[in-house]
Amino acid sequence: MNRTMNRTLSVKIIALTVWGLLLFSPFLFQDVRQVEVAARIAVFIVLVASYDLLIGYTGIVSFAHTMFFGFGAYGVAIALKQIGPGWGAWTLGTLSGVAVSIVVAILIGLLSLRVKAIFFAMITLAAASVALVLASQLSQFTGGEDGMIYSAPDLLKPSTKLLTDAEGDVLRIFDVRMNGKIAAYYFVFITCALMFWAMLRIVGSPLGTVLKAIRENEGRAEGIGYRVVAYRTAVFVIAATTAALAGAVYATWLRYTGPDTTLSFAIMIDILLMVVIGGMGTMWGAVIGATLMVLAQYYLRDLMEVASRATEAIPLLPELLSPDRWLLWLGIIFILLVYFFPAGIAGTIIRGRTK
Amino acid sequence: MTHPSLSTRDLTIRFGGHTAVNAVTCDFHPGELTVIVGPNGAGKTTYFNMISGQLMPSEGTVEKDGLDLTRMPASTRARHGVGRAFQLTNLFPHLSVLENIRLAVQAQSGDGRRFFTPVTRLTELAAKAERYLEATRLSDRADMPAAALPHGDQRKLEVALLMAMEPDIYMFDEPTAGMSLDHAPDVLDLIAEIKHDHTKTVLLVEHKMDVVRALADRIIVLHNGELIADGDPGEVMSSQIVKDVYLGNAGELT
């Protein structure tokens, strides 16, 4: 038992280190792209953790998670575009995105969560496809395939001076300019950290145990008094709401929303991979999975560029390591991870290598 | 006698052309332990499934204290006090023994809907779960995953879950199945304790005749889905009809 606790502790330490790095990343990494990566990691941790509530904790397979992410993002994007930048518009957009997500989640849940898992998965796939088609067809609202560019509320605009020095210029702390960009980053960080904390509370609550019980033995959960359909629908709604909020936050950060940043099935697959890499059924695993995957997406090409140059003298190798083949290597890394960490990184560390 | 706590009226279920349970009408009373016997395939487990809600009857009704349960899902019946332990071990295998019991406790107390309070802060819940751990002598295995328990302890955990639901109706389906002789008394002691409470209605499916003799207040016999005998243990066990059923001449009876 003690060993399991130590292992759980080490996973927590890794995950908290990631959160620590995210907290200070504007100061640690001053390159624009690096802060971009940090924000994306924060958002995807929430997205992956909320998906894990479904697939890892409750055993529900859904392909509609990016749809809810998209509802939140498009809600904010349309509101900011149509009404103009402001917190009123932002709140309205977020709430509409969340409201649509809740309604759709309840409908899908009540209609199909009582039937076989495969049928539910198909329904979510269909719903997500419809959402994707709608987003590209209703171009007068959504900007179609091109998406929408809009302004964030004033506080979060890069030109905003948060703190000024004696001459009225933007104040620098540790050489970091205290402008709207930093406000935007901490807006993302704080909202994501809060959502992650809320999900930790959920899995540690009595409800969290019920979710695991449903995953383990649905019939017996019903037999001791839990209405399984209701609990499944409830967790589906919680996950959908969280995904929508994450979408709203991401749309605010990017100041752009389009099918490729929110709704596409490529993102759905990314989320699935992140859950599997991190470890299903562990909130902390979501942190590890999302971080590794986003880092690989942003930096694997750079790394291969370096490797390709370093091996210039050797035949064949530079060809194999050419940055154009980064997806091949991402695939290989993924296969190796699944082979050596069958329960995901966090899951395998906690449970140990045996079984 | 007192009002029945549980009654079935003409309870019938058909699977295609086969009638598995046929018009079983029977009352069960608080403080009474009824053993249900009958050869394999007599419909005992199917009868149980219709009472606890795993199966919906084709005809007939199930009532508890005057409340019609017939169309209610199993979870609602459980919350109304119908508790059931299963013949094949039916636990939450990767959750710990304590978590298994806590699930049953919080289902009964309504704490399962709490989604933001850490489990560790609900001390009343923990204390209750602890009590059932002790009652079933599983305290020293509290942190083990249920799947890692030896078979005998899994059966005890099955009973612990049922006790933790604090039902009015206790349904045991061959609680000692597959247990070695030296472990079976543990589970039987637990059932005897429930019986000695004298307020609970206990239904027990059991084959082992020494168990039946030790515990039964009343025996009912199911054969080919029909209720063919009902009464005092001594009477029923010695009746010709039961002997015929168990000796296999039953074909001539019906």
Side-chain angles (χ1 to χ4, degrees):
Chain A
M1 283 307 112
N2 250 330
R3 277 174 67 195
T4 319
M5 271 163 79
N6 283 338
R7 285 168 175 159
T8 312
L9 191 68
S10 54
V11 168
K12 280 185 191 169
I13 289 170
I14 297 171
L16 287 174
T17 310
V18 171
W19 277 111
L21 288 172
L22 289 177
L23 173 60
F24 295 112
S25 64
F27 298 93
L28 295 169
F29 318 107
Q30 302 201 346
D31 179 65
V32 182
R33 185 153 174 254
Q34 289 164 341
V35 178
E36 198 73 47
V37 171
R40 191 176 161 91
I41 289 176
V43 170
F44 271 79
I45 288 175
V46 172
L47 200 55
V48 171
S50 60
Y51 190 64
D52 198 26
L53 279 182
L54 297 179
I55 196 165
Y57 281 86
T58 325
I60 297 173
V61 181
S62 158
F63 294 109
H65 215 57
T66 48
M67 175 179 79
F68 298 119
F69 188 55
F71 284 160
Y74 273 91
V76 162
I78 293 170
L80 289 180
K81 180 109 185 161
Q82 305 285 342
I83 307 173
W87 287 108
W90 186 86
T91 312
L92 181 71
T94 306
L95 290 181
S96 331
V98 168
V100 171
S101 298
I102 291 176
V103 171
V104 173
I106 290 177
L107 281 178
I108 296 180
L110 290 182
L111 283 178
S112 52
L113 273 173
R114 62 177 75 232
V115 294
K116 286 221 168 75
I118 183 78
F119 182 68
F120 177 77
M122 291 299 123
I123 293 282
T124 58
L125 196 58
S129 308
V130 170
L132 192 58
V133 170
L134 280 181
S136 59
Q137 295 297 309
L138 298 171
S139 50
Q140 66 271 39
F141 299 112
T142 62
E145 293 292 332
D146 298 331
M148 284 169 282
I149 297 171
Y150 43 86
S151 298
D154 281 340
L155 174 69
L156 309 179
K157 280 181 188 156
S159 55
T160 304
K161 296 170 182 174
L162 274 190
L163 298 168
T164 48
D165 57 18
E167 284 108 61
D169 286 334
V170 173
L171 183 72
R172 284 165 179 266
I173 298 175
F174 297 115
D175 226 27
V176 179
R177 297 157 65 88
M178 292 297 119
N179 58 15
K181 197 76 199 165
I182 208 126
Y185 178 77
Y186 281 105
F187 168 75
V188 172
F189 177 83
I190 290 168
T191 46
C192 289
L194 278 177
M195 284 192 270
F196 184 71
W197 172 78
M199 282 186 279
L200 279 180
R201 290 284 293 241
I202 289 172
V203 299
S205 72
L207 178 82
T209 321
V210 179
L211 299 182
K212 283 190 268 182
I214 290 172
R215 174 194 71 196
E216 297 266 301
N217 189 343
E218 182 187 336
R220 191 63 196 265
E222 184 85 33
I224 58 175
Y226 297 109
R227 192 88 185 95
V228 170
V229 187
Y231 279 88
R232 279 205 177 128
T233 307
V235 71
F236 192 52
V237 169
I238 292 173
T241 306
T242 314
L245 287 172
V249 169
Y250 200 44
T252 318
W253 165 258
L254 285 180
R255 285 170 288 135
Y256 164 78
T257 294
D260 293 339
T261 58
T262 53
L263 285 172
S264 79
F265 283 106
I267 299 179
M268 192 61 243
I269 291 170
D270 286 350
I271 297 173
L272 268 167
L273 291 182
M274 289 174 191
V275 170
V276 172
I277 291 172
M280 283 196 219
T282 56
M283 278 289 123
W284 301 103
V287 179
I288 298 174
T291 307
L292 285 181
M293 188 80 181
V294 173
L295 285 180
Q297 282 170 335
Y298 273 79
Y299 292 112
L300 192 58
R301 297 175 69 143
D302 298 358
L303 200 69
M304 288 175 59
E305 180 91 56
V306 174
S308 177
R309 270 213 217 100
T311 52
E312 237 163 2
I314 311 165
L316 197 68
L317 258 184
E319 271 302 300
L320 269 176
L321 292 172
S322 147
D324 295 341
R325 296 193 219 302
W326 77 282
L327 266 176
L328 168 77
W329 287 98
L330 190 62
I332 292 175
I333 292 172
F334 178 65
I335 291 168
L336 290 177
L337 277 175
V338 171
Y339 185 79
F340 287 106
F341 296 93
I345 294 177
T348 310
I349 294 176
I350 292 170
R351 269 166 248 170
R353 276 308 308 272
T354 50
K355 196 198 154 202
Chain B
M1 204 166 215
T2 50
H3 281 294
S5 49
L6 178 78
S7 37
T8 66
R9 293 270 162 277
D10 297 320
L11 205 61
T12 303
I13 190 165
R14 293 184 202 92
F15 299 109
H18 172 66
T19 307
V21 172
N22 193 3
V24 174
T25 297
C26 195
D27 289 337
F28 303 94
H29 300 270
E32 182 186 63
L33 190 148
T34 308
V35 177
I36 301 163
V37 298
N40 284 329
K44 303 182 298 286
T45 299
T46 309
Y47 183 56
F48 260 33
N49 281 338
M50 286 190 284
I51 296 174
S52 59
Q54 273 72 31
L55 287 174
M56 291 292 159
S58 312
E59 275 162 41
T61 57
V62 180
E63 273 185 19
K64 178 187 173 275
D65 297 317
L67 180 74
D68 188 358
L69 304 178
T70 316
R71 294 290 142 199
M72 287 182 185
S75 53
T76 315
R77 298 182 197 209
R79 287 198 301 274
H80 280 296
V82 179
R84 157 98 188 262
F86 289 81
Q87 181 178 11
L88 300 171
T89 302
N90 194 353
L91 301 161
F92 305 105
H94 297 108
L95 302 186
S96 73
V97 171
L98 180 65
E99 279 175 311
N100 268 273
I101 297 180
R102 186 161 52 72
L103 275 164
V105 175
Q106 72 185 34
Q108 195 266 341
S109 68
D111 284 318
R113 269 163 280 164
R114 284 173 180 254
F115 64 95
F116 217 64
T117 318
V119 162
T120 44
R121 265 186 228 165
L122 297 168
T123 46
E124 206 175 309
L125 199 62
K128 237 177 175 182
E130 199 68 43
R131 205 173 328 135
Y132 291 108
L133 266 179
E134 271 165 37
T136 49
R137 296 156 201 97
L138 288 166
S139 300
D140 50 339
R141 307 224 147 130
D143 295 322
M144 269 171 91
L149 289 178
H151 180 76
D153 283 346
Q154 291 191 359
R155 303 298 311 180
K156 280 204 277 184
L157 182 54
E158 187 80 28
V159 177
L161 248 69
L162 180 55
M163 290 169 71
M165 289 165 70
E166 300 183 345
D168 307 317
I169 318 284
Y170 285 75
M171 302 169 72
F172 294 96
D173 196 351
E174 295 194 42
T176 62
M179 281 180 98
S180 62
L181 281 175
D182 42 322
H183 281 113
D186 285 353
V187 167
L188 297 175
D189 285 349
L190 292 171
I191 298 175
E193 270 170 47
I194 295 164
K195 181 188 157 167
H196 287 140
D197 193 22
H198 292 301
T199 58
K200 310 296 184 194
T201 311
V202 186
L203 275 62
L204 174 66
V205 170
E206 187 55 82
H207 283 300
K208 293 175 186 139
M209 282 307 141
D210 47 336
V211 175
V212 176
R213 257 180 238 113
L215 290 170
D217 297 317
R218 170 190 176 199
I219 293 180
I220 62 174
V221 184
L222 284 183
H223 179 59
N224 287 338
E226 290 180 33
L227 184 68
I228 57 164
D230 177 353
D232 178 75
E235 245 171 70
V236 173
M237 295 312 288
S238 55
S239 69
Q240 190 57 41
I241 198 167
V242 171
K243 282 182 184 154
D244 286 344
V245 163
Y246 273 93
L247 290 172
N249 314 330
E252 296 157 22
L253 278 168
T254 42

